Amino acid sequence: MTEPLRAIPDLPDRLRLPLRFDAESIGGEIAERAEEWIAHFVPEHYDGDWSVIPLRAKAGATHPITMIYSDPMCRDFADTSFLRLFPSCEEALKHFACPLLSVRLMRLGPGSIIKEHRDFDLDFAQGVARLHIPIVTSDEAVFTLNGRPVAMEAGSCWYLRLSDPHCVVNHGQRARIHLVLDVAVNDWLEALFIAAQKGARMQNPQALQEFRLFVGGRADLVARLRPIDDIDAFIRDVVAAGVEQGFIFDAEDVASALRVGQRLWLSPWATVL
């Protein structure tokens, strides 16, 4: 089913994909089905209210626990009876030309926490990618991956490498709801990821220059990048920091800037790093 060990150069731990979805319509359907939520079955993994509606699950599963469990060994998935209750979700799933594995609506209540953990099977390079589509969210619902927050707006679509450490805290006054897809990596998804990287860079060829100026006003980024004295590590972290802040460029962009205009490029950086 999956094609393991695929590699995309410089694939970050988070990547916004060039897809948009109607979060308002999906949210409206969810509001009408408040009774369908199933409490997550591993309470030691969270504090507060964490619940799920399974839209695709292990084929043949009928018990709520087996329906919401994302079994990494499962090879046969099917739509659940819940999916037909959410036609906007059903429509959204048609945009993915890759095998759909587990698909769930996931709700984190106000004041609730998903404790830091790792899902070792959820890694593009291993053949399974987890995609998040925020439906109801706010700045107070913070998803942290590798110690750094991921800002995801409603209706956007993100790949998150969740084999790395991650956690979620909802400081807000309303529930945070995501449509979460586990998908098998295929040629279509790989091309989408590559397009996401290249497309964002083409849309803003000045992204690296703009990011350099942006860093000058951010003491936290200055403190993060200043101590790095290994050039390869510096390049990797500059790329990662750029992605986190919405400035998309790759390692070659940074390396080229260092090679082509070393004095001009490094002097301004030296003042902030």
Side-chain angles (χ1 to χ4, degrees):
M1 181 183 62
T2 61
E3 301 178 34
L5 301 178
R6 285 183 180 245
I8 296 178
D10 302 315
L11 183 64
D13 63 357
R14 66 206 68 193
L15 180 65
R16 181 172 182 163
L17 303 180
L19 298 170
R20 290 287 303 179
F21 297 95
D22 187 351
E24 185 174 352
S25 293
I26 297 174
E29 293 171 0
I30 291 171
E32 296 175 356
R33 298 286 181 177
E35 73 281 1
E36 306 293 349
W37 293 103
I38 302 168
H40 199 283
F41 59 93
V42 189
E44 60 266 27
H45 288 178
Y46 66 97
D47 292 329
D49 172 19
W50 187 21
S51 51
V52 184
I53 299 176
L55 305 183
R56 279 182 63 84
K58 184 176 182 178
T62 57
H63 191 280
I65 296 299
T66 57
M67 292 177 75
I68 68 173
Y69 174 51
S70 181
D71 184 355
M73 302 305 294
C74 181
R75 296 294 179 266
D76 189 10
F77 293 84
D79 295 347
T80 72
S81 59
F82 292 96
L83 182 58
R84 67 173 181 266
L85 303 177
F86 303 96
S88 294
C89 288
E90 198 167 10
E91 184 63 29
L93 298 184
K94 295 177 182 177
H95 288 79
F96 296 91
C98 55
L100 299 176
L101 309 179
S102 172
V103 178
R104 297 169 291 172
L105 288 164
M106 305 193 77
R107 178 186 184 277
L108 188 66
S112 300
I113 298 171
I114 301 174
K115 300 175 184 179
E116 184 174 85
H117 64 287
R118 301 174 71 175
D119 300 294
F120 290 95
D121 56 309
L122 298 177
D123 186 338
F124 177 95
Q126 298 301 322
V128 177
R130 175 160 290 180
L131 310 180
H132 274 250
I133 302 171
I135 305 303
V136 180
T137 190
S138 73
D139 292 341
E140 296 176 302
V142 182
F143 193 114
T144 301
L145 175 60
N146 283 320
R148 301 187 297 273
V150 188
M152 297 179 280
E153 67 184 46
S156 61
C157 182
W158 289 77
Y159 162 69
L160 304 174
R161 190 174 65 226
L162 298 188
S163 57
D164 294 350
H166 59 282
C167 61
V168 189
V169 179
N170 185 3
H171 297 293
Q173 298 301 309
R174 62 176 180 169
R176 169 258 201 196
I177 301 173
H178 282 199
L179 175 60
V180 179
L181 297 76
D182 291 350
V183 301
V185 176
N186 65 357
D187 291 343
W188 176 85
L189 191 67
E190 184 173 10
L192 184 70
F193 277 37
I194 292 171
Q197 290 182 294
K198 291 184 177 179
R201 192 162 61 250
M202 289 173 64
Q203 291 168 16
N204 184 9
Q206 302 301 316
L208 181 56
Q209 173 67 9
E210 292 178 5
F211 178 68
R212 181 169 66 86
L213 297 174
F214 176 81
V215 168
R218 286 287 300 270
D220 58 328
L221 290 177
V222 171
R224 170 180 165 183
L225 296 170
R226 186 194 300 276
I228 303 174
D229 54 11
D230 177 80
I231 190 64
D232 291 332
F234 175 79
I235 290 173
R236 286 194 300 271
D237 215 38
V238 167
V239 172
V243 170
E244 294 160 22
Q245 302 300 329
F247 299 92
I248 307 301
F249 45 83
D250 62 17
E252 182 55 34
D253 292 331
V254 180
S256 294
L258 288 168
R259 288 194 302 266
V260 173
Q262 191 168 19
R263 290 186 180 179
L264 292 176
W265 197 82
L266 278 180
S267 294
W269 275 96
T271 65
V272 297
L273 302 183

